[in-house]
Amino acid sequence: MAVTAQADERPPSAEAHRVIAPAFDPDFYRAIYTDLPADMGPLWHYRMAGWQEGRDPAPWFSVEGYFAANPDVAAAGVEPFSHFLAHGRHEGREIAPSRHAARYFGQVGWAPAPWTHESFAVSDSPQAAGRGRRRVAAVPLTPEQHAAVAAEFDEAFYLALNPDVATAGMDPLEHFIRTGWLEDRDPNPRFSVRDYLEANPDILAANLNPFAHYLVAGRAEGRSPRHELGFRYDVISRLKPVEARIAEAATASARLRVDPPARLATAFARLRDLHITLSHDNYVEHWGGLQFCVRREADAFAARGVDHLHLYPAAPWPAVRAAGEPGPLGVLLNGRRLGVFAPEAVRDALASGAGGGRRSFAVHSLLGHEADATADILTAAGLREGFFWLHDFASLCVGFHLLRNDVEDCAAPLPTSAACEVCAYGTQRARHIEGHRRLFERLSITAVAPSQTTLEFWGAHGDLPARETIVLPHARLVERKPARKPPAGRPFRLAYLGMPTPLKGWPVFRDLAQRFEDDPRYEFLHLGGAPDPSAPAAFHRVVVTAEQPRAMQETLEALQPDAALIWPLCRETFSFTAYEAAAAGAAVLTGPDSGNVAAFAADPAIGRVLADEDVLAAAFASGEILALGRGPRRAKLYDLAYSDMTGELVS
């Protein structure tokens, strides 16, 4: 590296992260720096260590070049990429491409424009390659077309979906007109550039701006601004075969460099009382319902003085691994990452380590693990009896949400059924189930379900040889006090909780919000980690963390929504969001295929189960849904008493 890290250098701040993230190129970073562990995020690595090692964040930016051209930045020990984005480009400071750029573009088969400040500002950059950029000479807009586009262009929507444009400080309308539509960037939530061009090859052949054509001529001709096939069509069109996902995972796993086994032997030498958990990812670095459960379990055992060993596939896998497939494991001890190791190294280290204390195990997910290797590890630790949590239905199908082609509940038919033959997951289902069976046969396992609904379904649709079955909810409601009444005359507030994904029902909420946007009876709220401007809803950033486990419930109590739409496509085994909504006094609205959510909301004091999306929309159109307002319902508030998970099952 040309510049030595200064003694006072510090990782970039959270503000720097916000500045860097839109322009950072993770594909470039991982393609060039192949020593990066598969379980480590490229952006996280760059922020914490990469820039100090002279690693470049994008092919158009050289860390060494920026330091060389700007010795004051180097002397100050400032992370160079965020400095350039926040200050340097406005000050006219020069940048140079990464010395790895030519090699990277040779891999991806794309050649950039000349390197200038403007090349970043107009998004003529590697990121554009991922958007299906059409390199054509676009026909300029007429004054009439320009005025029409300007009148219906949604600036806030465009900037929210395209943070690189926001970071560059470009005028969003001019960006869309000049290059955005060529990169399939949409001008507002109701128009799809890609759909319009696919449906109208004459417009594509003529190199016309599709939005301009639609507004000036296409709308009058009866052309549709986007296809009318529904969001499920979009999901299916993006569906990747399981075999391809497994092949990608195997390739990523094979590239991993494992750490020396001696590191494990040292760490395990003093282990006595020990609880082992297995799941599909690193619960410290990722956040979600399952990860929250593992955290609570770890805390419960730590309170007893019991060490916690967590094992997960170092490269994400979509299925149970078969014998012979590469499968290095990420290893955490008491929340601290020890490294990446071969399963055999973990087994041998546990076999040779200290023993004799209290020992237990819980499998939270077998995805990415191989059954015999897992059984060998647990046996080496002196364990045979343990617990298997039904966080999802992965033990019934590799499509662990039980959604045929990711869009329709399948109810877990027999693996030999015709229904499985038309599903993307059908070809791998038998192999996947047998992997689970092998684990249950080699060990003595108690299956634990977070709801009675889940346990009954699992027992009726599978035959894994569990020693015993138990129901232990992740949380329960404890009545606290009546909710305060909302102000008189306030519109009915409907909230969506969490990430805006089809699996969790975001398109259903989005369509409601768009349809009733101008209806004074309703307001729409989105509480989650990231916004989606396609829905006209007030966004409130809410991230539940180990430090703020009640963040969602507290925000709900402050905003007082009348109802929360919990409309997953899949059978939920529990649903924290449903319980958080109810605890905050919101009625839970859901459909009949939502598993435990439907069972929970069937209680009139909790919510309502509607037959389908048409019935839901009709209830809003007629005003019937207003009967679920906080006032008419006399809403109550609850505390959530969380489970200690396996900590409650082990004495």
Side-chain angles (χ1 to χ4, degrees), residues 118-130:
E118 290 72 24
S119 67
F120 168 68
V122 300
S123 300
D124 196 7
S125 64
Q127 288 89 326

Side-chain angles (χ1 to χ4, degrees), residues 448-510:
V448 189
S451 65
Q452 185 65 36
T453 301
T454 296
L455 182 60
E456 291 175 358
F457 183 89
W458 185 79
H461 293 82
D463 60 353
L464 295 180
R467 178 173 69 94
E468 187 181 358
T469 59
I470 297 174
V471 174
L472 179 58
H474 295 330
R476 57 188 177 86
L477 298 177
V478 179
E479 189 168 332
R480 178 154 40 105
K481 61 181 180 180
R484 70 181 189 274
K485 293 183 179 180
R490 192 197 76 177
F492 183 96
R493 288 183 175 174
L494 181 69
Y496 176 91
L497 317 182
M499 295 299 291
T501 64
L503 178 66
K504 296 300 183 180
W506 171 257
V508 179
F509 175 83
R510 178 199 63 205

Side-chain angles (χ1 to χ4, degrees), residues 60-85:
W60 54 271
F61 187 90
S62 166
V63 166
E64 294 183 1
Y66 196 71
F67 276 146
N70 303 282
D72 57 324
V73 179
V78 175
E79 188 280 309
F81 197 39
S82 62
H83 182 274
F84 168 72
L85 293 171

Side-chain angles (χ1 to χ4, degrees), residues 3-79:
V3 176
T4 303
Q6 305 296 308
D8 62 347
E9 284 176 337
R10 299 173 183 173
S13 64
E15 175 64 18
H17 177 96
R18 184 190 67 77
V19 172
I20 293 171
F24 183 81
D25 191 331
D27 294 333
F28 164 80
Y29 199 81
R30 193 173 286 283
I32 296 302
Y33 305 115
T34 56
D35 60 330
L36 189 68
D39 64 331
M40 185 177 294
L43 178 56
W44 186 93
H45 182 272
Y46 172 79
R47 289 182 63 224
M48 297 301 117
W51 68 275
Q52 298 185 40
E53 298 168 356
R55 303 190 188 217
D56 299 328
W60 54 271
F61 187 90
S62 166
V63 166
E64 294 183 1
Y66 196 71
F67 276 146
N70 303 282
D72 57 324
V73 179
V78 175
E79 188 280 309

Side-chain angles (χ1 to χ4, degrees), residues 81-444:
F81 197 39
S82 62
H83 182 274
F84 168 72
L85 293 171
H87 308 288
R89 63 190 181 90
H90 301 296
E91 298 166 356
R93 299 193 186 228
E94 291 302 319
I95 58 173
S98 168
R99 58 191 173 89
H100 304 292
R103 176 158 62 94
Y104 175 65
F105 290 128
Q107 294 175 14
V108 300
W110 185 80
W115 297 99
T116 65
H117 289 287
E118 290 72 24
S119 67
F120 168 68
V122 300
S123 300
D124 196 7
S125 64
Q127 288 89 326
R131 296 178 176 271
R133 182 180 177 87
R134 289 177 289 274
R135 291 193 165 274
V136 296
V139 176
L141 298 188
T142 66
E144 178 191 11
Q145 290 174 325
H146 193 288
V149 169
E152 298 201 28
F153 182 78
D154 189 328
E155 179 175 315
F157 169 85
Y158 196 78
L159 290 176
L161 284 191
N162 302 289
D164 56 326
V165 179
T167 301
M170 277 203 70
D171 178 89
L173 173 61
E174 291 308 310
H175 179 274
F176 170 75
I177 290 173
R178 290 172 56 192
T179 64
W181 73 270
L182 293 168
E183 300 161 5
D184 292 331
R185 307 194 194 213
D186 296 333
N188 67 35
R190 294 175 173 80
F191 185 89
S192 168
V193 168
R194 185 186 296 272
D195 289 355
Y196 197 79
L197 291 175
E198 286 181 352
N200 301 285
D202 57 323
I203 308 305
L204 175 63
N207 296 335
L208 299 177
N209 181 304
F211 191 46
H213 179 273
Y214 170 74
L215 295 176
V216 173
R219 183 156 51 191
E221 297 167 357
R223 305 196 195 209
S224 176
R226 60 186 315 135
H227 67 61
E228 303 296 338
L229 301 175
F231 72 89
R232 289 175 175 82
Y233 171 84
D234 293 329
V235 173
I236 292 174
S237 69
R238 294 192 297 267
L239 187 62
K240 181 181 294 186
V242 181
E243 293 82 359
R245 299 184 220 176
I246 292 175
E248 290 174 357
T251 299
S253 289
R255 290 174 178 168
L256 292 174
R257 295 193 306 179
V258 297
D259 292 298
R263 184 180 300 177
L264 286 179
T266 301
F268 292 174
R270 296 190 177 93
L271 293 179
R272 286 187 58 81
D273 294 343
L274 178 65
H275 180 63
I276 301 176
T277 58
L278 297 96
S279 80
H280 67 297
D281 69 6
N282 182 337
Y283 74 93
V284 173
E285 292 187 355
H286 300 90
W287 191 260
L290 186 152
Q291 293 86 347
F292 178 70
C293 290
V294 177
R295 283 177 181 269
R296 289 202 61 82
E297 186 165 307
D299 291 343
F301 280 96
R304 303 181 192 178
V306 177
D307 287 313
H308 174 221
L309 179 66
H310 183 70
L311 308 176
Y312 61 95
W317 273 79
V320 171
R321 284 192 304 106
E325 290 178 329
L329 297 175
V331 179
L332 299 174
L333 182 58
N334 297 325
R336 183 173 62 88
R337 186 176 180 275
L338 298 183
V340 174
F341 303 90
E344 296 77 14
V346 179
R347 176 199 64 198
D348 295 344
L350 285 170
S352 61
R358 297 172 293 173
R359 299 213 163 181
S360 56
F361 78 84
V363 178
H364 290 273
S365 175
L366 201 60
L367 294 178
H369 299 272
E370 196 271 317
D372 283 310
T374 299
D376 290 344
I377 288 171
L378 296 172
T379 301
L383 290 164
R384 186 170 183 274
E385 294 186 1
F387 302 90
F388 185 98
W389 279 89
L390 303 178
H391 293 291
D392 52 35
F393 294 107
S395 51
L396 299 182
C397 182
V398 64
F400 51 86
H401 293 303
L402 298 184
L403 288 177
R404 184 177 295 112
N405 296 319
D406 284 351
V407 295
E408 182 182 32
D409 178 69
C410 72
L414 292 174
T416 56
S417 71
C420 284
E421 293 180 0
V422 298
C423 178
Y425 298 102
T427 57
Q428 295 294 318
R429 186 180 176 197
R431 183 196 101 161
H432 183 80
I433 293 175
E434 286 309 306
H436 281 84
R437 184 181 305 282
R438 182 65 175 160
L439 185 75
F440 274 73
E441 289 175 346
R442 286 199 53 186
L443 302 170
S444 180

